[in-house]
């Protein structure tokens, strides 16, 4: 009985169709999730009287041996490069050795049969692959969210450290990519931290919603056994069983929320990557690219290229693709399970791998960044970036803002024509545009005053930025704490207890 469904068929499968429809080459990576979910289900059916206590123990021991056995078999054929390689390193060999396995569910059943004989065939009592894949994918996405959250924390911390190291450095800010007003370098870095904090809460929200257990849903209408669904749910660290079997076996919104949250995160990351790429050009000259994260040109000896940020910009495109692919696959699917859903796994895996890759290099790159504070400051002091502060000065003298804007505009024009900044103009010249200009004008347009006049929550005044930086560090500590408590739930999952 090599197939899971051979009884009603008389003809063998067309060989091309058979190999083409298999999902094992892709879903083999769900092996840990499938084993954990199988152990949880074994406990539920034991409680329902399908397995005796002895059978349950044998079944759980067998399930614990499934991964070691697969690794042993693979190691006989091909040793991975490193001695302490984990399951991932063996997966290609495991896949190659098991061409008879249709999918991960079939594979585990075949292995378990090798280990404990026909008792293995009792495991499928009261369950369906439709609920299994929905469960495995929820477990996978839950771990991928936790890994992403922890990578994001690391990157947030790197950005905050870079901000702390940048002290009171200033830079020009840009709108339309034209110099606008001076800002603290920290203020600019914290803009990204703010984006990442929202990305983290989006992922956390998705995690909270997905954390329900489909096991017990059967293929569509619910298990045909009176299962206590809380047993599997508790064993797998879910908050409870899903409320509707048709929904649970066929909806993939938890995966969509994950890929879509990564799509937004990818867009944020690509903006950072683009800015750094730009800032490292000779034209901007705001930073020296760290050599450890740059490459040269095989043709032009002088080059140091921003490959890391460019590649990240490109990888963020894959994240957009994954979200769109999955949405397109699930669009218009009638209730409940449809085989199309099998095709929805790859974009989820690709998105998880892509973000893991990006976050494996981005914090280190960020920590290695060194700004050229002098170049940034010079750029912030040239080009009338204090014009708005100048107009504000006039409004404090009672001039309506529209008129103040006009008068400072005329001063800027004079500056442009004579090659001078606003602070190089004489008081007499300024008075020609408005008698409200006084001696104190020059103090109100220094670089410091130009920063400090933005004294609002969220503004770039130095004291506000200092508070914002402290807030960002505090939130990293709180988020680390709450993620650590989630991770301990994951560890509990690895030791599913015998009830
Ligand atoms: N490999 C399948 C998937 O990934 C498992 C569920 C198959 N269910 C079925 N009725 N054919 O979706």
């Amino acid at each position: 009985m090599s197939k899971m469904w051979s009884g009603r068929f008389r003809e063998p499968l067309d060989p091309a169709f058979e190999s083409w429809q298999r999902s094992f080459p892709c879903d083999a990576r769900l092996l840990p999730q499938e084993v954990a979910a199988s152990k949880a289900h074994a406990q539920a059916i034991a409680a329902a009287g399908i397995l005796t206590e002895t059978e349950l123990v044998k079944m759980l021991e067998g399930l614990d041996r499934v991964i070691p056995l697969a690794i042993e078999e693979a190691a006989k054929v091909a040793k991975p490069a490193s001695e302490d390689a984990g399951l991932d390193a063996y997966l290609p060999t495991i896949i190659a050795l098991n061409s008879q396995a249709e999918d991960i569910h079939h594979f585990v059943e075949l292995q378990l049969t090798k280990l404990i004989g026909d008792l293995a065939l009792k495991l499928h009592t009261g369950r369906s692959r439709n609920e299994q894949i929905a469960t495995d994918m929820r477990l996978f996405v839950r771990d991928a969210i936790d890994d992403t959250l922890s990578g994001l924390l690391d990157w947030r911390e790197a950005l905050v450290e870079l901000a702390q190291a940048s002290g009171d450095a200033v830079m020009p800010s840009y709108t339309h990519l034209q110099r606008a007003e001076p800002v603290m370098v920290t203020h600019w870095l914290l803009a990204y931290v703010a984006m990442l904090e929202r990305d983290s809460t989006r992922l956390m929200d998705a995690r909270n919603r997905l954390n329900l257990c489909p096991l017990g849903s059967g293929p569509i209408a619910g298990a045909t056994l009176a299962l206590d669904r809380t047993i599997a749910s508790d064993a797998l660290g879910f908050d409870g069983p899903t409320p509707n079997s048709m929904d649970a076996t066929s909806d993939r919104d938890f995966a969509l929320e994950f890929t879509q949250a990564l799509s937004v995160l990818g867009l944020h990351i690509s903006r950072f990557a683009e800015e750094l790429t730009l800032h490292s050009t000779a034209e901007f000259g705001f930073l020296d690219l760290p050599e450890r994260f740059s490459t040269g040109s095989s043709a032009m000896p002088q080059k140091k290229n921003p490959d890391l940020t460019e590649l990240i910009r490109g990888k963020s495109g894959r994240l957009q693709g994954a979200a769109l692919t999955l949405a397109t696959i699930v669009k218009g699917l009638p209730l409940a399970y449809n085989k199309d859903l099998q095709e929805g796994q790859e974009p989820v895996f690709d998105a998880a791998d892509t973000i893991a890759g990006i976050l494996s290099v981005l914090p280190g790159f960020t920590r290695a960044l060194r700004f050229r504070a002098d170049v940034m400051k010079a750029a912030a002091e040239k080009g009338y970036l204090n014009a708005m502060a100048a107009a504000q000065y006039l409004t404090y003298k009672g001039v309506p803002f529209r008129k103040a804007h006009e008068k400072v505009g005329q001063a800027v024009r004079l500056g442009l024509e004579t090659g001078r900044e606003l602070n190089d103009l004489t008081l007499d010249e300024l008075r020609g545009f408005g008698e409200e200009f006084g001696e104190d004008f020059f103090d109100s347009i220094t670089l410091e005053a130009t920063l400090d006049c933005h004294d609002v929550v969220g503004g770039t005044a130095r004291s506000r930025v200092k508070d914002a930086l402290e807030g960002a560090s505090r939130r990293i500590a709180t988020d680390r704490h709450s993620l650590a408590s989630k991770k301990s739930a994951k560890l509990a999952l690895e030791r599913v207890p015998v009830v």
Side-chain angles (χ1 to χ4, degrees):
M1 200 201 64
S2 82
K3 291 264 175 294
M4 294 168 285
W5 38 261
S6 41
R8 63 96 66 216
F9 283 78
R10 281 186 308 198
E11 270 194 80
L13 281 188
D14 173 86
F17 172 62
E18 163 143 44
S19 89
W20 172 81
Q21 58 97 40
R22 291 176 64 234
S23 57
F24 189 57
C26 154
D27 64 24
R29 65 188 291 172
L30 293 173
L31 185 49
Q33 286 81 3
E34 177 72 7
V35 167
S38 294
K39 287 170 72 179
H41 179 68
Q43 292 172 64
I45 57 172
I50 298 293
L51 300 177
T52 64
E53 188 63 34
T54 331
E55 285 176 326
L56 173 62
V57 171
K58 200 168 165 204
M59 180 101 62
L60 293 175
E61 283 169 359
L63 283 165
D64 277 335
R65 290 276 306 135
V66 165
I67 294 175
L69 174 65
I71 291 180
E72 269 164 42
E73 290 170 346
K76 280 190 203 133
V77 181
K79 278 246 174 285
S82 142
E83 272 294 304
D84 46 29
L87 172 62
D88 288 353
Y90 293 96
L91 280 181
T93 316
I94 294 175
I95 292 166
L97 285 177
N98 291 281
S99 57
Q100 76 290 11
E102 184 174 320
D103 55 22
I104 183 62
H105 321 299
H106 190 205
F107 174 72
V108 169
E109 189 173 299
L110 293 172
Q111 293 294 96
L112 190 62
T113 309
K114 281 192 217 160
L115 286 157
I116 63 169
D118 274 359
L119 175 61
L121 305 177
K122 279 200 176 178
L123 180 58
H124 210 56
T125 320
R127 101 178 162 167
S128 148
R129 285 185 292 157
N130 297 353
E131 60 187 321
Q132 283 171 259
I133 191 64
T135 305
D136 293 355
M137 287 303 284
R138 280 182 194 237
L139 292 172
F140 177 88
V141 171
R142 192 173 70 182
D143 279 357
I145 287 180
D146 289 350
D147 291 346
T148 310
L149 285 171
S150 120
L152 281 180
L153 269 171
D154 197 16
W155 190 31
R156 277 161 61 185
E157 196 167 70
L159 287 164
V160 162
E161 283 170 20
L162 185 62
Q164 283 158 347
S166 74
D168 53 9
V170 284
M171 66 189 290
S173 64
Y174 298 81
T175 61
H176 313 272
L177 208 49
Q178 305 287 329
R179 284 184 196 168
E181 292 189 273
V183 289
M184 304 285 293
V185 169
T186 294
H187 194 56
W188 167 68
L189 289 168
L190 289 182
Y192 285 102
V193 174
M195 295 178 222
L196 300 185
E197 287 180 4
R198 288 196 300 282
D199 288 315
S200 303
T201 58
R202 254 186 289 277
L203 287 164
M204 200 59 104
D205 283 351
R207 190 193 197 284
N208 289 338
R209 264 188 297 278
L210 81 68
N211 205 30
L212 295 175
C213 185
L215 289 181
S217 298
I220 178 164
T224 44
L225 260 185
L227 288 180
D228 175 357
R229 293 188 59 204
T230 61
I231 296 176
S233 166
D234 289 349
L236 294 170
F238 285 113
D239 298 328
T242 47
N244 181 290
S245 61
M246 297 180 80
D247 171 49
T249 47
S250 66
D251 205 84
R252 293 294 183 265
D253 62 357
F254 66 90
L256 275 169
E257 286 195 49
F258 171 61
T259 52
Q260 289 175 356
L262 292 190
S263 140
V264 179
L265 169 59
L267 295 173
H268 289 154
I269 293 178
S270 76
R271 297 179 73 187
F272 180 79
E274 168 61 10
E275 285 212 283
L276 273 277
T277 307
L278 211 55
H279 289 176
S280 70
T281 58
E283 284 71 11
F284 273 79
F286 287 178
L287 58 102
D288 246 336
L289 283 174
E291 289 195 8
R292 281 189 295 133
F293 293 99
S294 313
T295 60
S297 154
S298 58
M300 297 167 281
Q302 86 284 10
K303 297 269 283 183
K304 183 165 74 169
N305 292 328
D307 294 44
L308 183 141
T309 50
E310 291 174 298
L311 201 49
I312 280 179
R313 215 169 44 191
K315 297 263 185 204
S316 108
R318 288 179 83 114
L319 294 175
Q320 310 317 311
L324 189 60
T325 303
L326 184 59
T328 313
I329 289 169
V330 300
K331 179 184 175 299
L333 288 186
L335 256 55
Y337 178 83
N338 296 271
K339 184 85 165 186
D340 315 39
L341 292 173
Q342 178 171 296
E343 205 58 23
Q345 292 162 26
E346 271 174 281
V348 176
F349 296 154
D350 191 58
D353 292 342
T354 302
I355 196 65
I358 292 175
L359 291 174
S360 74
V361 294
L362 204 42
F365 171 78
T366 302
R367 288 192 171 91
L369 287 174
R370 295 290 170 268
F371 296 118
R372 293 204 195 111
D374 51 335
V375 178
M376 288 176 135
K377 181 165 184 236
E381 282 178 325
K382 232 179 135 264
Y384 313 97
L385 275 70
N386 51 3
M388 210 169 137
Q392 205 56 55
Y393 165 86
L394 290 179
T395 64
Y396 283 124
K397 302 280 175 187
V399 182
F401 184 77
R402 284 277 161 261
K403 293 222 161 93
H405 186 287
E406 176 74 20
K407 290 170 197 281
V408 174
Q410 287 165 348
V412 166
R413 159 81 20 227
L414 175 64
L416 283 169
E417 281 161 6
T418 57
R420 289 177 298 165
E421 289 292 320
L422 289 178
N423 46 311
D424 299 323
L425 302 180
T426 67
L427 195 51
D428 278 351
E429 285 170 325
L430 290 163
R431 286 225 164 100
F433 305 121
E435 61 202 22
E436 299 83 358
F437 283 104
E439 276 296 348
D440 55 350
F441 172 69
F442 297 100
D443 284 342
S444 72
I445 59 162
T446 62
L447 189 55
E448 290 74 21
T450 308
L451 291 166
D452 288 344
C453 70
H454 301 86
D455 189 11
V456 286
V457 171
T460 198
R462 289 172 295 177
S463 65
R464 297 288 183 172
V465 172
K466 186 168 167 283
D467 290 349
L469 185 55
E470 281 164 12
S473 295
R474 258 198 316 276
R475 286 189 296 278
I476 290 174
T478 336
D479 288 1
R480 259 204 204 294
H481 189 74
S482 75
L483 189 65
S485 57
K486 296 244 154 40
K487 280 263 159 85
S488 48
K490 179 176 166 184
L491 288 181
L493 171 66
E494 279 155 16
R495 316 179 292 264
V496 177
V498 178
V499 283

PDB file of all heavy atoms in Angstrom, residues 23 27 102-105 128-130 133 252 337-339 341-342 345, ligand 1:
ATOM      1  N   SER A  23       4.405  17.120  -3.871  1.00  0.00           N
ATOM      2  CA  SER A  23       4.863  18.340  -3.210  1.00  0.00           C
ATOM      3  C   SER A  23       6.023  18.077  -2.261  1.00  0.00           C
ATOM      4  O   SER A  23       6.555  19.004  -1.668  1.00  0.00           O
ATOM      5  CB  SER A  23       3.709  19.009  -2.451  1.00  0.00           C
ATOM      6  OG  SER A  23       3.148  18.107  -1.518  1.00  0.00           O
ATOM      7  N   ASP A  27       7.646  20.535   0.269  1.00  0.00           N
ATOM      8  CA  ASP A  27       7.144  20.570   1.653  1.00  0.00           C
ATOM      9  C   ASP A  27       7.953  19.705   2.614  1.00  0.00           C
ATOM     10  O   ASP A  27       7.637  19.631   3.798  1.00  0.00           O
ATOM     11  CB  ASP A  27       5.637  20.262   1.723  1.00  0.00           C
ATOM     12  CG  ASP A  27       5.264  18.856   1.267  1.00  0.00           C
ATOM     13  OD1 ASP A  27       6.113  17.958   1.319  1.00  0.00           O
ATOM     14  OD2 ASP A  27       4.099  18.663   0.866  1.00  0.00           O
ATOM     15  N   GLU A 102       4.645  11.136  -1.635  1.00  0.00           N
ATOM     16  CA  GLU A 102       3.867  12.121  -2.386  1.00  0.00           C
ATOM     17  C   GLU A 102       4.018  13.514  -1.754  1.00  0.00           C
ATOM     18  O   GLU A 102       4.251  14.506  -2.432  1.00  0.00           O
ATOM     19  CB  GLU A 102       2.400  11.692  -2.371  1.00  0.00           C
ATOM     20  CG  GLU A 102       1.507  12.578  -3.204  1.00  0.00           C
ATOM     21  CD  GLU A 102       0.070  12.022  -3.271  1.00  0.00           C
ATOM     22  OE1 GLU A 102      -0.086  10.791  -3.391  1.00  0.00           O
ATOM     23  OE2 GLU A 102      -0.873  12.823  -3.206  1.00  0.00           O
ATOM     24  N   ASP A 103       3.898  13.542  -0.456  1.00  0.00           N
ATOM     25  CA  ASP A 103       4.073  14.816   0.245  1.00  0.00           C
ATOM     26  C   ASP A 103       4.615  14.539   1.647  1.00  0.00           C
ATOM     27  O   ASP A 103       4.873  13.379   2.005  1.00  0.00           O
ATOM     28  CB  ASP A 103       2.761  15.626   0.284  1.00  0.00           C
ATOM     29  CG  ASP A 103       1.595  14.852   0.888  1.00  0.00           C
ATOM     30  OD1 ASP A 103       1.844  13.878   1.647  1.00  0.00           O
ATOM     31  OD2 ASP A 103       0.433  15.207   0.604  1.00  0.00           O
ATOM     32  N   ILE A 104       4.760  15.570   2.433  1.00  0.00           N
ATOM     33  CA  ILE A 104       5.358  15.412   3.757  1.00  0.00           C
ATOM     34  C   ILE A 104       4.534  14.469   4.641  1.00  0.00           C
ATOM     35  O   ILE A 104       5.084  13.703   5.439  1.00  0.00           O
ATOM     36  CB  ILE A 104       5.549  16.803   4.432  1.00  0.00           C
ATOM     37  CG1 ILE A 104       6.246  16.669   5.792  1.00  0.00           C
ATOM     38  CG2 ILE A 104       4.238  17.547   4.605  1.00  0.00           C
ATOM     39  CD1 ILE A 104       7.623  16.107   5.729  1.00  0.00           C
ATOM     40  N   HIS A 105       3.218  14.472   4.440  1.00  0.00           N
ATOM     41  CA  HIS A 105       2.360  13.621   5.278  1.00  0.00           C
ATOM     42  C   HIS A 105       2.601  12.145   4.957  1.00  0.00           C
ATOM     43  O   HIS A 105       2.710  11.308   5.840  1.00  0.00           O
ATOM     44  CB  HIS A 105       0.882  13.976   5.061  1.00  0.00           C
ATOM     45  CG  HIS A 105       0.657  15.451   4.916  1.00  0.00           C
ATOM     46  ND1 HIS A 105       0.965  16.331   5.912  1.00  0.00           N
ATOM     47  CD2 HIS A 105       0.211  16.204   3.872  1.00  0.00           C
ATOM     48  CE1 HIS A 105       0.703  17.560   5.503  1.00  0.00           C
ATOM     49  NE2 HIS A 105       0.249  17.515   4.259  1.00  0.00           N
ATOM     50  N   SER A 128      -7.105  14.282   8.464  1.00  0.00           N
ATOM     51  CA  SER A 128      -7.008  14.410   7.011  1.00  0.00           C
ATOM     52  C   SER A 128      -5.798  15.259   6.679  1.00  0.00           C
ATOM     53  O   SER A 128      -5.379  16.111   7.478  1.00  0.00           O
ATOM     54  CB  SER A 128      -8.276  15.100   6.501  1.00  0.00           C
ATOM     55  OG  SER A 128      -7.989  15.880   5.368  1.00  0.00           O
ATOM     56  N   ARG A 129      -5.255  15.033   5.501  1.00  0.00           N
ATOM     57  CA  ARG A 129      -4.108  15.857   5.095  1.00  0.00           C
ATOM     58  C   ARG A 129      -4.489  17.331   4.976  1.00  0.00           C
ATOM     59  O   ARG A 129      -3.655  18.204   5.109  1.00  0.00           O
ATOM     60  CB  ARG A 129      -3.542  15.356   3.759  1.00  0.00           C
ATOM     61  CG  ARG A 129      -2.743  14.078   3.880  1.00  0.00           C
ATOM     62  CD  ARG A 129      -2.121  13.713   2.562  1.00  0.00           C
ATOM     63  NE  ARG A 129      -3.116  13.334   1.575  1.00  0.00           N
ATOM     64  CZ  ARG A 129      -2.931  13.382   0.260  1.00  0.00           C
ATOM     65  NH1 ARG A 129      -1.788  13.809  -0.241  1.00  0.00           N
ATOM     66  NH2 ARG A 129      -3.896  13.007  -0.566  1.00  0.00           N
ATOM     67  N   ASN A 130      -5.772  17.566   4.725  1.00  0.00           N
ATOM     68  CA  ASN A 130      -6.189  18.976   4.579  1.00  0.00           C
ATOM     69  C   ASN A 130      -5.986  19.767   5.863  1.00  0.00           C
ATOM     70  O   ASN A 130      -5.562  20.918   5.840  1.00  0.00           O
ATOM     71  CB  ASN A 130      -7.664  19.047   4.161  1.00  0.00           C
ATOM     72  CG  ASN A 130      -7.896  18.401   2.807  1.00  0.00           C
ATOM     73  OD1 ASN A 130      -6.930  18.019   2.138  1.00  0.00           O
ATOM     74  ND2 ASN A 130      -9.140  18.271   2.407  1.00  0.00           N
ATOM     75  N   ILE A 133      -1.931  19.938   6.595  1.00  0.00           N
ATOM     76  CA  ILE A 133      -1.125  20.960   5.914  1.00  0.00           C
ATOM     77  C   ILE A 133      -1.467  22.345   6.467  1.00  0.00           C
ATOM     78  O   ILE A 133      -0.594  23.198   6.643  1.00  0.00           O
ATOM     79  CB  ILE A 133      -1.256  20.883   4.363  1.00  0.00           C
ATOM     80  CG1 ILE A 133      -0.214  21.772   3.686  1.00  0.00           C
ATOM     81  CG2 ILE A 133      -2.633  21.242   3.872  1.00  0.00           C
ATOM     82  CD1 ILE A 133       1.216  21.357   3.935  1.00  0.00           C
ATOM     83  N   ARG A 252      -6.196  30.641   3.818  1.00  0.00           N
ATOM     84  CA  ARG A 252      -4.760  30.846   4.035  1.00  0.00           C
ATOM     85  C   ARG A 252      -4.496  32.308   4.384  1.00  0.00           C
ATOM     86  O   ARG A 252      -3.423  32.836   4.109  1.00  0.00           O
ATOM     87  CB  ARG A 252      -3.963  30.456   2.772  1.00  0.00           C
ATOM     88  CG  ARG A 252      -3.995  28.969   2.440  1.00  0.00           C
ATOM     89  CD  ARG A 252      -3.277  28.113   3.483  1.00  0.00           C
ATOM     90  NE  ARG A 252      -3.251  26.690   3.104  1.00  0.00           N
ATOM     91  CZ  ARG A 252      -4.139  25.790   3.507  1.00  0.00           C
ATOM     92  NH1 ARG A 252      -5.146  26.156   4.306  1.00  0.00           N
ATOM     93  NH2 ARG A 252      -4.051  24.529   3.126  1.00  0.00           N
ATOM     94  N   TYR A 337     -11.121  22.861   0.826  1.00  0.00           N
ATOM     95  CA  TYR A 337      -9.775  22.608   0.316  1.00  0.00           C
ATOM     96  C   TYR A 337      -9.764  22.409  -1.200  1.00  0.00           C
ATOM     97  O   TYR A 337     -10.636  21.766  -1.779  1.00  0.00           O
ATOM     98  CB  TYR A 337      -9.162  21.350   0.971  1.00  0.00           C
ATOM     99  CG  TYR A 337      -7.791  21.040   0.409  1.00  0.00           C
ATOM    100  CD1 TYR A 337      -6.663  21.686   0.887  1.00  0.00           C
ATOM    101  CD2 TYR A 337      -7.632  20.146  -0.665  1.00  0.00           C
ATOM    102  CE1 TYR A 337      -5.412  21.446   0.342  1.00  0.00           C
ATOM    103  CE2 TYR A 337      -6.386  19.901  -1.209  1.00  0.00           C
ATOM    104  CZ  TYR A 337      -5.273  20.559  -0.704  1.00  0.00           C
ATOM    105  OH  TYR A 337      -4.041  20.332  -1.259  1.00  0.00           O
ATOM    106  N   ASN A 338      -8.790  22.983  -1.855  1.00  0.00           N
ATOM    107  CA  ASN A 338      -8.525  22.744  -3.276  1.00  0.00           C
ATOM    108  C   ASN A 338      -7.031  22.541  -3.433  1.00  0.00           C
ATOM    109  O   ASN A 338      -6.239  23.161  -2.715  1.00  0.00           O
ATOM    110  CB  ASN A 338      -8.928  23.960  -4.124  1.00  0.00           C
ATOM    111  CG  ASN A 338     -10.424  24.224  -4.074  1.00  0.00           C
ATOM    112  OD1 ASN A 338     -11.182  23.704  -4.855  1.00  0.00           O
ATOM    113  ND2 ASN A 338     -10.833  25.051  -3.125  1.00  0.00           N
ATOM    114  N   LYS A 339      -6.664  21.714  -4.378  1.00  0.00           N
ATOM    115  CA  LYS A 339      -5.241  21.375  -4.539  1.00  0.00           C
ATOM    116  C   LYS A 339      -4.393  22.600  -4.901  1.00  0.00           C
ATOM    117  O   LYS A 339      -3.173  22.606  -4.703  1.00  0.00           O
ATOM    118  CB  LYS A 339      -5.089  20.279  -5.596  1.00  0.00           C
ATOM    119  CG  LYS A 339      -3.680  19.761  -5.806  1.00  0.00           C
ATOM    120  CD  LYS A 339      -3.298  18.666  -4.823  1.00  0.00           C
ATOM    121  CE  LYS A 339      -2.043  17.934  -5.297  1.00  0.00           C
ATOM    122  NZ  LYS A 339      -1.717  16.784  -4.461  1.00  0.00           N
ATOM    123  N   LEU A 341      -4.048  25.039  -3.343  1.00  0.00           N
ATOM    124  CA  LEU A 341      -3.413  25.536  -2.118  1.00  0.00           C
ATOM    125  C   LEU A 341      -1.992  25.009  -1.949  1.00  0.00           C
ATOM    126  O   LEU A 341      -1.152  25.662  -1.328  1.00  0.00           O
ATOM    127  CB  LEU A 341      -4.269  25.177  -0.899  1.00  0.00           C
ATOM    128  CG  LEU A 341      -5.609  25.919  -0.821  1.00  0.00           C
ATOM    129  CD1 LEU A 341      -6.452  25.382   0.324  1.00  0.00           C
ATOM    130  CD2 LEU A 341      -5.380  27.419  -0.654  1.00  0.00           C
ATOM    131  N   GLN A 342      -1.751  23.816  -2.508  1.00  0.00           N
ATOM    132  CA  GLN A 342      -0.398  23.254  -2.424  1.00  0.00           C
ATOM    133  C   GLN A 342       0.619  24.216  -3.036  1.00  0.00           C
ATOM    134  O   GLN A 342       1.746  24.318  -2.575  1.00  0.00           O
ATOM    135  CB  GLN A 342      -0.372  21.904  -3.145  1.00  0.00           C
ATOM    136  CG  GLN A 342       0.975  21.224  -3.169  1.00  0.00           C
ATOM    137  CD  GLN A 342       0.888  19.801  -3.695  1.00  0.00           C
ATOM    138  OE1 GLN A 342       0.261  18.931  -3.098  1.00  0.00           O
ATOM    139  NE2 GLN A 342       1.477  19.566  -4.845  1.00  0.00           N
ATOM    140  N   GLN A 345       2.446  27.148  -0.942  1.00  0.00           N
ATOM    141  CA  GLN A 345       3.517  26.980   0.057  1.00  0.00           C
ATOM    142  C   GLN A 345       4.811  27.659  -0.357  1.00  0.00           C
ATOM    143  O   GLN A 345       5.486  28.290   0.452  1.00  0.00           O
ATOM    144  CB  GLN A 345       3.768  25.493   0.292  1.00  0.00           C
ATOM    145  CG  GLN A 345       2.604  24.810   0.992  1.00  0.00           C
ATOM    146  CD  GLN A 345       2.631  23.305   0.839  1.00  0.00           C
ATOM    147  OE1 GLN A 345       3.690  22.722   0.654  1.00  0.00           O
ATOM    148  NE2 GLN A 345       1.482  22.686   0.879  1.00  0.00           N
TER     149      GLN A 345
HETATM  150  N1  LIG B   1       0.190  18.171  -0.295  1.00  0.00           N
HETATM  151  C1  LIG B   1      -1.120  18.693  -0.050  1.00  0.00           C
HETATM  152  C2  LIG B   1      -1.040  20.233   0.079  1.00  0.00           C
HETATM  153  O1  LIG B   1       0.019  20.707   0.265  1.00  0.00           O
HETATM  154  C3  LIG B   1      -1.652  18.153   1.216  1.00  0.00           C
HETATM  155  C4  LIG B   1      -3.128  18.159   1.271  1.00  0.00           C
HETATM  156  C5  LIG B   1      -3.624  17.220   0.238  1.00  0.00           C
HETATM  157  N2  LIG B   1      -5.008  16.995   0.349  1.00  0.00           N
HETATM  158  C6  LIG B   1      -5.698  16.377  -0.614  1.00  0.00           C
HETATM  159  N3  LIG B   1      -6.934  16.182  -0.422  1.00  0.00           N
HETATM  160  N4  LIG B   1      -5.141  16.025  -1.736  1.00  0.00           N
HETATM  161  O2  LIG B   1      -2.017  20.937  -0.018  1.00  0.00           O
END
